[in-house]
């Protein structure tokens, strides 16, 4: 078994919001994006003082303790693919373990990774949940500090390989919620696949940096408007949270 250590932000032994069913979630440290709306900005720097390191073997021990109550394991972030070798090694080890191999393996990602990273993860990953922060590249750059070319390519790449579990849209009022942006995003996703699961998440201020804490939160009306735009475009699997 590989002993590639991961830079770890946190571990949650039971979560219902990070993929299907009850899941063990590994939150990695470090992210190539710098999202204005990030709820855990302390997970962005790759090497902050006091970063915890953990090996695959150490995490397997923790997962075994929770195993009777789990449906799967998710690696989230920070950005999981920034430490993709660890993700690959962890999921390989889960699948090789007689007690753990029944667990599904999911990655929660911002999608900013090259095909060779997905190729390394595809053989050991059941599903990828990908954030689409904005379809418009300029808005995406403003919100995250990076363009979205890789993200859009990744969504297509994973969909074509039947491993795109869901696309997550975080709606940030005043930034990516205009009618025009919603319609174009809906059209892009519907052209990809009308059956793709789309999860619309309303921006909440909890945890964000002080300079972004004055941004209005998403209202139920905004979520309903987004849902309508997505469904009007033909998407049949839209969830709002
Ligand atoms: S991609 Fe996620 S972890 Fe990274 S900065 Fe954005 S919200 Fe935070």
């Amino acid at each position: 078994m590989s002993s590639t250590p991961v830079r770890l932000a946190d571990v949650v032994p039971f979560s219902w919001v990070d993929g299907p069913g009850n899941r063990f979630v590994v939150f990695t440290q470090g992210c190539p994006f710098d999202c204005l709306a990030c709820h855990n900005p302390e997970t962005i720097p790759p090497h902050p003082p006091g970063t915890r390191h953990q090996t695959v073997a150490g995490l397997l021990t923790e997962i075994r303790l929770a195993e009777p109550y789990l449906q799967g394991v998710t690696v989230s972030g920070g950005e999981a693919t920034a430490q993709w070798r660890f993700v690959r090694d962890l999921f390989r080890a889960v699948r090789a373990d007689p007690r753990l191999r029944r667990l599904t393996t999911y990655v929660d990602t911002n999608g900013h990774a090259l095909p060779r990273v997905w190729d390394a993860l595809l053989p050991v990953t059941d599903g990828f949940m990908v954030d689409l922060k904005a379809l418009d590249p300029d808005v995406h750059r403003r919100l995250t500090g990076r363009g979205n070319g890789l993200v859009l390519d990744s969504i297509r790449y994973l969909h074509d390989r039947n491993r795109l579990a869901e696309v997550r849209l975080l709606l940030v009022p005043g930034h990516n919620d205009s009618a025009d942006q919603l319609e174009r995003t809906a059209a892009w996703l519907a052209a990809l696949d009308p059956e793709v699961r789309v999860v619309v998440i309303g921006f909440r201020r909890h945890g964000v940096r002080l300079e972004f804490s004055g941004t209005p939160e998403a209202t139920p009306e905004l979520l309903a408007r987004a849902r309508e735009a997505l469904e009007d475009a033909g998407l049949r699997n839209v969830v709002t949270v």
Side-chain angles (χ1 to χ4, degrees), residues 24-38:
F24 187 99
V25 188
V26 179
F27 294 93
T28 58
Q29 179 70 42
C31 181
F33 285 3
D34 187 12
C35 297
L36 293 174
C38 185

Side-chain angles (χ1 to χ4, degrees), residues 66-172:
E67 178 273 330
Y69 313 101
L70 294 174
Q71 190 167 333
V73 179
T74 296
V75 182
S76 183
E79 172 49 32
T81 61
Q83 300 184 73
W84 62 267
R85 289 181 180 82
F86 156 77
V87 182
R88 176 199 60 195
D89 294 347
L90 176 67
F91 286 177
R92 253 187 209 156
V94 166
R95 290 188 170 199
D97 185 293
R99 265 183 64 198
L100 303 183
R101 65 167 54 116
R102 70 171 185 84
L103 301 177
T104 58
T105 51
Y106 274 61
V107 172
D108 183 354
T109 173
N110 64 23
H112 188 76
L114 291 166
R116 69 183 177 87
V117 171
W118 306 124
D119 288 343
L121 295 177
L122 278 161
V124 290
T125 308
D126 293 303
F128 295 86
M129 302 173 290
V130 186
D131 294 339
L132 176 54
K133 312 282 187 188
L135 186 72
D136 182 300
D138 293 331
V139 176
H140 194 278
R141 195 173 288 282
R142 217 161 42 238
L143 280 171
T144 71
R146 300 268 193 156
N148 64 0
L150 269 183
V151 179
L152 299 178
D153 287 350
S154 296
I155 290 172
R156 284 194 211 94
Y157 196 81
L158 295 171
H159 173 265
D160 290 352
R161 283 149 188 82
N162 203 25
R163 225 60 69 75
L164 181 65
E166 66 188 31
V167 176
R168 295 177 164 181
L169 306 177
L170 174 69
L171 291 188
V172 187

Side-chain angles (χ1 to χ4, degrees), residues 171-190:
L171 291 188
V172 187
H175 290 269
N176 60 3
D177 64 332
S178 67
D180 175 58
Q181 286 191 72
L182 289 175
E183 273 169 34
R184 282 188 292 117
T185 305
W188 190 87
L189 289 167

